[in-house]
Structures are given as structure tokens and as C-alpha cells.
Amino acid sequence: MAEPGTKESGNFFKASTYNVAYWDDYMAARAKYSSDFYDRIIAYYKTHNPSQMPAVAHDIGTGPGQVAAELCKHFDTVIASDTNSTHLDIAAARLEKAGLKDKVTWTPLGAEDLSSKYPPSSANLLTVAECLPLLDVPRAMSTFAHLLQPDGTLAVWFYGRPAFSEPEFAATCQPILNEILDLTFEKVIKSASGAHKAAWKSAADTLESWLDNVALSPDIWRDVYRHKWNPHLPMPVSGPNACDYPIEPSSNINAETEKVVEEDDPQFWAESWDVGEVRRFVECLIPIFEEKKANGEYQHIEPRYQALERAMGGKDAKRAFTWPVVLILATRK
């Protein structure tokens, strides 16, 4: 959900250079993965992979390393990889404060290229949080199949735009927030070209599909489980008004071999935010937002923030939020 790095590459993160302050704000603004969410993943892993110890967990697209830190509680060896070495530096610094840095092996490679470094069956668990739609999905899925041992677990998840969960404010405030998000992304998306534009469209299609278009062949995967929280909410962070291409959802779900569970839960990863915290979420979506803002590129959005502040009940008024979330769990044959 960040801005693609260069016009030559479709990779969303490769050329980004984030600083520590950005990641601190990012972590404060993002959805907080709950302990029961992690427990669900670990329980699935143990059910399908009960005897393989010691075990290796590999967090792909680790970003600031919060998932890698959680994996350190459960696994003897943790690998954290990311296409951007700057992300790994930030993650290592964060985990060092928690006394976990030396338990993690840091690998500066994109998901699609990990098979060039790691042999087949080199991991028992792969976690892929908040990044699969931003990748070359077929190449990434092929890599995941290469990396996992037989009976190993793949855990992929993504969350979309925050949603006002109180009906009164969902009706009055959400349309304003949606407009702010579209205005924030519109210039970035519409000015992109080549592989960069193709990457935006691919991500939009996958998110609009709720990752249903991610194919898990029954020849490779078994016990595929897709859990969707709040599927009535839009998953893409920005909508069609921010795009100059059609958004085309599709599905590759195999109804005979996959289980799909849908659950409406306004308390899922619940947040209570004022308008300033909503703004922080939006502005952390684009790593170079502050630079663009200083140049006056987002001045036209300010009236919408003022309207949102009024609709929320004032500058300090806190309102309840939830998230659309999808989790895919699968076992390597």
C-alpha cells in the first residue's frame, strides 16, 4: 500500500528509502495484529505439521519486523526477508531493542527471488503479511511452494482501508474518508507508466478480489482455508475514482478443495481514532508524503479533512474503526 519505487520497476517497495520516524508513525497508524490472530496461524501450523522440530519460520516482506518478532516466540530459527535493505535495517534495530535481533537471519531479497538463495524445503512456515497483492503473484506463489517443506504452512494475509464501525458515522464519515484516500492516491496512480502502472492495476484487481484470484493448485496445496473478516467492506485502499484503468476482480477459488469462512465483526482489530489519527494513517500510506505535502501537492485535500473533522464531532472526538481482513492458510503437499 505504499507508492511504487521507480518507473522502470513494478515493485512497490524496491526503491523506497524510509527513515525511522516514518516507521514509528507507520506502526502507530496501522492495524494491530491481535494475539488470537497469531494463535489461529500457529494452531493451523501445529495441526498440519506436528512433529517437525526444530523448525524454521520465514517472514517474507517483513517491513518493520513485527511479524518476525512474534515468530521468535514459537520458532528456533526465523528468517526475515524484504526487497529493501533499509526495511531490514529498521526491523533489526526494532528487534534489537527487544533482545531478538540475533535470533533472526536478515535477507535483502524480494519474495519472487528467494529461491535463488534458499534451497527447496528450507522453511516450515511462511508468513506473507500485507504484501502479496503488491508482488508478481504467480512468481511469488511458485517461490513459496519451492521454499516450504512438505506439510509446511503458508500464511498470507492482507487488510484494507479502515472503516467507521458505528452505523451513524459509517454513513456520514466513511464517504469523506474514501474521498480523501482517492485524492491522496489519484495523482500517484494516474501519473504512473509502464510496469509501474501495471503493478498498481494488478494490486487493485487482487484487492478488489479479496485475494480470491490467488490460485492454490490442489496439486501443490491442501487444506486451503480462506477466512474473511468484514467482507462487506471494500478491501482496496483507494477506489475507482483514483484510477485510470478498470478494476477487474476475479476468482480462482476451488470450491471442492478450499474452505471459505466469512465473518462480520465490527470489533475486529478495533481502533478508536480522532481525525488526527485518521490523517496519520492516510499520510503513512505514501512514504514520501511529507515531501509532496511540503511542495503543496496535497493542499486541495485539506477542505475534506475539515469536513471529516466536523462529521466526526470535532478535533478531539474519537470514533470506532474496524478493518476488512483476509487470511489464507494452506499446507504444502
Side-chain angles (χ1 to χ4, degrees):
M1 292 195 296
E3 182 184 3
T6 67
K7 290 185 178 179
E8 291 75 23
S9 171
N11 190 292
F12 277 60
F13 296 108
K14 183 112 178 155
S16 302
T17 53
Y18 309 154
N19 57 31
V20 173
Y22 168 83
W23 278 116
D24 287 344
D25 283 344
Y26 177 95
M27 291 297 295
R30 312 312 284 175
K32 310 300 188 294
Y33 305 148
S34 58
S35 58
D36 60 333
F37 182 79
Y38 284 121
D39 289 345
R40 182 186 297 268
I41 295 169
I42 297 301
Y44 177 97
Y45 164 77
K46 289 182 177 179
T47 298
H48 293 82
N49 198 7
S51 61
Q52 295 193 25
M53 296 295 287
V56 176
H58 188 154
D59 183 37
I60 295 172
T62 198
Q66 78 271 35
V67 177
E70 181 69 23
L71 294 175
C72 287
K73 300 177 184 178
H74 304 280
F75 291 85
D76 303 289
T77 302
V78 175
I79 301 167
S81 61
D82 201 288
T83 191
N84 191 323
S85 59
T86 302
H87 295 187
L88 297 180
D89 291 341
I90 296 294
R94 296 178 67 90
L95 267 65
E96 185 173 28
K97 293 179 181 178
L100 298 172
K101 178 183 176 182
D102 293 338
K103 192 171 181 179
V104 179
T105 299
W106 307 95
T107 302
L109 272 178
E112 302 93 332
D113 300 317
L114 287 166
S115 58
S116 66
K117 180 175 178 63
Y118 291 100
S121 302
S122 58
N124 304 85
L125 169 69
L126 300 180
T127 52
V128 188
E130 204 66 7
C131 68
L132 183 61
L134 315 180
L135 305 175
D136 180 330
V137 175
R139 283 187 61 209
M141 291 300 295
S142 177
T143 298
F144 303 158
H146 167 93
L147 294 174
L148 273 175
Q149 291 189 6
D151 297 325
T153 294
L154 173 65
V156 174
W157 67 93
F158 207 95
Y159 62 87
R161 77 181 77 174
F164 288 85
S165 56
E166 299 161 290
E168 173 188 353
F169 296 100
T172 58
C173 297
Q174 193 68 45
I176 305 173
L177 175 56
N178 293 346
E179 185 180 0
I180 288 171
L181 288 164
D182 284 349
L183 290 170
T184 300
F185 276 92
E186 180 180 32
K187 185 175 181 180
V188 174
I189 293 174
K190 291 182 178 179
S191 65
S193 61
H196 205 179
K197 177 69 67 74
W200 280 114
K201 175 171 168 46
S202 176
D205 291 346
T206 299
L207 291 173
E208 187 69 23
S209 304
W210 273 73
L211 277 66
D212 288 351
N213 62 345
V214 176
L216 291 116
S217 169
D219 294 332
I220 301 172
W221 305 99
R222 64 179 176 86
D223 296 334
V224 177
Y225 170 89
R226 300 174 187 255
H227 198 127
K228 302 175 184 180
W229 289 269
N230 301 317
H232 63 288
L233 298 174
M235 177 66 76
V237 175
S238 56
N241 290 338
C243 309
D244 54 0
Y245 45 71
I247 299 177
E248 300 170 309
S250 61
S251 176
N252 285 311
I253 291 178
N254 187 322
E256 295 182 0
T257 61
E258 301 183 22
K259 181 179 181 180
V260 180
V261 177
E262 297 186 351
E263 178 181 351
D264 289 334
D265 183 359
Q267 298 303 313
F268 193 76
W269 294 352
E271 295 281 0
S272 180
W273 284 349
D274 60 32
V275 69
E277 289 164 312
V278 173
R279 179 190 288 267
R280 180 174 60 182
F281 169 84
V282 175
E283 295 186 355
C284 283
L285 291 169
I286 298 179
I288 57 173
F289 186 91
E290 288 301 322
E291 175 185 333
K292 290 177 176 290
K293 185 177 179 181
N295 292 333
E297 293 187 36
Y298 288 106
Q299 190 60 36
H300 63 296
I301 304 179
E302 289 307 310
R304 305 315 300 147
Y305 276 114
Q306 293 166 12
L308 182 61
E309 179 180 316
R310 292 192 295 271
M312 290 178 66
K315 180 180 178 181
D316 299 320
K318 295 272 191 177
R319 299 302 169 207
F321 289 82
T322 189
W323 306 86
V325 180
V326 58
L327 168 67
I328 300 175
L329 295 169
T331 298
R332 181 72 164 94
K333 282 189 171 180

